[in-house]
Amino acid sequence: MKKIAGSALGAVVVLGALSTAGAWYTGQQLPAVLETSIQQANEDMGKTMPALGLSATIELVSLERQLFSSNARYRIQFAGSLDGESPSNFEWFVTDRIEHGPFPLSRLQTLKLLPVMATSNYALERSPELEKWFAGSQGGAPLQGQVSLGYDRSLSGNLRVQPLQMALDEQTQIDFSGLEIDFDSSANVEKISASGVMDSFKVTSTLATDESMRLEFKGMNLTSNTRKGVSDFYLGQNEVRLQQIELQIGESAPILFKDFVQRDETSEANQQLSARYSYDIGMISYQGNDIGSSQMLWTVKNLDAAALQSMVELYGSLLQSGKVDSESGMPQLTDEQTAQFKTDLEKLLAGKPGMALEKLAFKTANGESSFSLALDLDKPVSFDLPAPELTKQLIAQLDAKLLVSKAMIGDVVGVQATIAGETDKEAIAQQATMLSEMASGMALASELAVLQGEDISSSLHYANDQVTFNGKQMTVDQFVALAMSSGGGLAGMGDDAPADDALLDESEGENTLQ
């Protein structure tokens, strides 16, 4: 028994000695580790923040080292504007209690037994500029979290934005349940994965019409899996899901957007970037009536990574130096910077970039309508060409297609009638059929559309200064003339067309909608 006790005591002594030695080692290495991490963070933010209209830098203000822990203080300086209208330069301070490894107490308390180099416990510091935010968070640090640094320089931790109730101004109030994000990254932040949850975020405001407005987001989940590519841009997938978005104006019934999903995916091949951005709404409802679902998909392709990176870095440097107009967002360039921007733009266009609204669709119970638009660009011989010739050389090709479902028109008319309180199903069906046929007739009479089965369709293709419109080839001038004459004819038809009330009055007896 004495031998067992002696062995256990010896193990504790050895473990304590190793922990003390590890803590001392961490304390010695900490300044260099922090400096490297801050430098890396500043480089990464310099490449990504300009896309948000901001620039930010982190600075280590102080570091007090002890044997088992250290206290650090950082300054984060921001410049730019998130809304494009309110330029500001402000700074936040963050306090950090750093527990030295290999076995920080906070990790042992949560049964995380793998050794780490250090664990950071950070929190936003109170200041006069942030007083309203702190007060709205019941006085605690509204932004805080914990990050552990592994001996392989990997990171794992969390970020917590505390619940918040506060008035932005006399008209606007925020009620926020809080946000929690867990994340992991490999050494040098080469790979990042994250997940987060939020229960609700509600904004109530008084509009200029003195009506109240309420916008509420409920049940958010986010996931992210990205890696740094050869071009230093982060590639991979991000997804945000919301169970419901609720919008209410005045005393009217709220509009509900259910099962909202936003996804983006970025990829890289042959030093060119491509991306996809999709937005889906599972169902739009009003007064208990399901109206339909919606989908939007954007894509970009063939973006020269080096040229894009150079343009982003230039914009970031201009933001930091206050050389970006707050109202227009346009940068103030020197002659040298103008030449650099022009070189980057030429390189970007030489890659033949393209952008497309691949699908904008609205689907009801019996039909789906959609619109698509794709634009491919090319490098012009010169940017000094007259505007018409420059446009002709910039646009390699353009494709557009509109498809309107007659059945969808009928569904929408039926829902409108139901919301208005109509109960005669036969009369509602007749009205829906009549209005969908009228829309079809007007579109066909204008020569801007054709009938494709039970859908009204219009298509346009442009390339090499030639237009193919609804299957017919013509010059650009001929197309413009057709569009103008058809538009005028359609407007005239609209003047002569009977009003909806007159059309409805033609229905007899019980089939007339009052």
Side-chain angles (χ1 to χ4, degrees):
M1 187 69 179
K2 291 182 179 179
K3 289 182 178 180
I4 295 175
S7 298
L9 180 60
V12 171
V13 171
V14 171
L15 183 60
L18 290 175
S19 297
T20 302
W24 176 85
Y25 173 77
T26 296
Q28 296 300 310
Q29 296 295 313
L30 192 58
V33 171
L34 286 178
E35 193 64 36
T36 300
S37 299
I38 290 172
Q39 181 180 351
Q40 182 67 49
N42 284 332
E43 290 178 2
D44 290 339
M45 289 192 299
K47 297 171 183 176
T48 58
M49 294 292 283
L52 302 175
L54 288 172
S55 64
T57 56
I58 302 175
E59 174 191 357
L60 178 63
V61 177
S62 63
L63 177 63
E64 299 175 357
R65 285 185 291 169
Q66 301 168 5
L67 179 57
F68 290 101
S69 65
S70 296
N71 294 314
R73 188 167 182 257
Y74 315 98
R75 177 192 289 116
I76 308 176
Q77 295 179 302
F78 297 92
S81 169
L82 280 173
D83 57 14
E85 298 181 355
S86 306
S88 57
N89 295 284
F90 57 96
E91 60 184 21
W92 290 352
F93 286 90
V94 175
T95 57
D96 189 5
R97 183 175 62 84
I98 304 172
E99 301 173 81
H100 299 175
F103 302 109
L105 180 59
S106 62
R107 285 178 60 85
L108 294 177
Q109 290 172 337
T110 56
L111 299 180
K112 296 177 180 178
L113 305 179
L114 290 177
V116 296
M117 186 174 185
T119 293
S120 163
N121 300 275
Y122 64 90
L124 186 63
E125 186 178 296
R126 196 165 196 149
S127 68
E129 294 79 10
L130 297 174
E131 184 59 37
K132 184 183 289 188
W133 193 5
F134 271 78
S137 299
Q138 286 74 53
L143 190 153
Q144 54 188 271
Q146 185 182 78
V147 183
S148 292
L149 172 66
Y151 285 100
D152 60 352
R153 301 302 175 91
S154 63
L155 297 171
S156 64
N158 60 70
L159 167 70
R160 300 190 303 277
V161 183
Q162 299 295 90
L164 175 68
Q165 290 183 332
M166 64 177 287
L168 290 181
D169 51 42
E170 293 181 355
Q171 289 78 34
T172 307
Q173 176 81 25
I174 288 178
D175 191 345
F176 176 46
S177 67
L179 170 67
E180 293 190 9
I181 299 176
D182 296 318
F183 59 86
D184 293 279
S185 77
S186 61
N188 300 319
V189 203
E190 292 291 333
K191 295 181 181 180
I192 305 174
S193 63
S195 62
V197 293
M198 179 197 75
D199 288 336
S200 66
F201 181 86
K202 181 169 66 176
V203 179
T204 55
S205 183
T206 302
L207 304 176
T209 58
D210 288 334
E211 287 186 302
S212 62
M213 185 277 290
R214 177 175 61 86
L215 178 62
E216 186 170 4
F217 302 89
K218 298 179 180 179
M220 186 192 79
N221 285 271
L222 64 87
T223 57
S224 176
N225 287 283
T226 59
R227 60 177 179 82
K228 190 178 292 187
V230 176
S231 62
D232 275 349
F233 283 99
Y234 279 95
L235 314 174
Q237 302 83 32
N238 300 287
E239 180 180 279
V240 177
R241 289 180 172 269
L242 282 162
Q243 293 178 1
Q244 184 170 291
I245 302 173
E246 188 171 331
L247 174 64
Q248 182 177 22
I249 305 294
E251 298 300 321
S252 62
I255 301 174
L256 305 180
F257 303 89
K258 303 175 183 178
D259 299 324
F260 172 86
V261 182
Q262 185 271 319
R263 299 184 183 92
D264 66 75
E265 180 177 357
T266 307
S267 57
E268 182 180 37
N270 301 320
Q271 299 179 338
Q272 288 188 324
L273 299 170
S274 299
R276 294 169 58 87
Y277 306 91
S278 66
Y279 307 84
D280 297 278
I281 299 175
M283 183 57 67
I284 303 171
S285 298
Y286 182 69
Q287 289 187 353
N289 297 284
D290 288 343
I291 301 172
S293 59
S294 179
Q295 181 182 23
M296 181 166 63
L297 172 62
W298 287 91
T299 60
V300 293
K301 64 180 182 180
N302 302 338
L303 296 179
D304 185 279
L308 185 61
Q309 186 68 268
S310 178
M311 296 170 78
V312 170
E313 289 177 356
L314 173 60
Y315 191 75
S317 66
L318 292 169
L319 271 176
Q320 289 182 322
S321 59
K323 298 296 184 181
V324 177
D325 185 84
S326 60
E327 295 184 0
S328 65
M330 295 298 295
Q332 303 169 20
L333 302 174
T334 64
D335 292 341
E336 181 179 352
Q337 290 168 337
T338 300
Q340 177 187 338
F341 178 80
K342 184 177 179 180
T343 299
D344 292 336
L345 181 59
E346 289 177 345
K347 188 176 181 181
L348 190 70
L349 292 172
K352 300 184 183 301
M355 62 191 75
L357 172 58
E358 290 198 2
K359 188 176 184 180
L360 176 61
F362 184 73
K363 184 178 182 179
T364 59
N366 298 298
E368 178 177 342
S369 297
S370 63
F371 174 72
S372 63
L373 175 67
L375 175 65
D376 291 342
L377 302 177
D378 204 348
K379 177 185 173 183
V381 174
S382 170
F383 286 104
D384 298 325
L385 295 171
E389 183 63 26
L390 178 61
T391 302
K392 185 189 301 183
Q393 293 193 20
L394 273 173
I395 300 176
Q397 68 174 8
L398 182 147
D399 285 283
K401 186 171 184 179
L402 174 66
L403 194 70
V404 179
S405 165
K406 292 167 63 176
M408 189 215 72
I409 296 175
D411 286 342
V412 172
V413 172
V415 170
Q416 286 179 327
T418 301
I419 292 174
E422 302 294 346
T423 58
D424 190 327
K425 293 184 178 180
E426 184 178 349
I428 291 174
Q430 285 189 357
Q431 182 190 23
T433 300
M434 180 171 52
L435 291 179
S436 62
E437 290 299 331
M438 185 177 69
S440 173
M442 293 176 65
L444 296 177
S446 71
E447 299 184 357
L448 295 178
V450 296
L451 197 61
Q452 184 178 324
E454 290 299 309
D455 297 324
I456 306 165
S457 173
S458 184
S459 63
L460 170 70
H461 173 77
Y462 167 82
N464 301 318
D465 204 29
Q466 289 291 314
V467 172
T468 302
F469 182 61
N470 292 333
K472 298 178 181 180
Q473 291 189 346
M474 60 190 75
T475 66
V476 174
D477 291 339
Q478 289 172 332
F479 169 72
V480 172
L482 172 64
M484 293 181 67
S485 62
S486 299
L490 183 60
M493 178 182 291
D495 293 336
D496 297 334
D500 288 351
D501 291 342
L503 288 171
L504 295 178
D505 288 341
E506 293 178 4
S507 301
E508 297 180 358
E510 70 275 12
N511 293 332
T512 302
L513 293 179
Q514 302 300 324

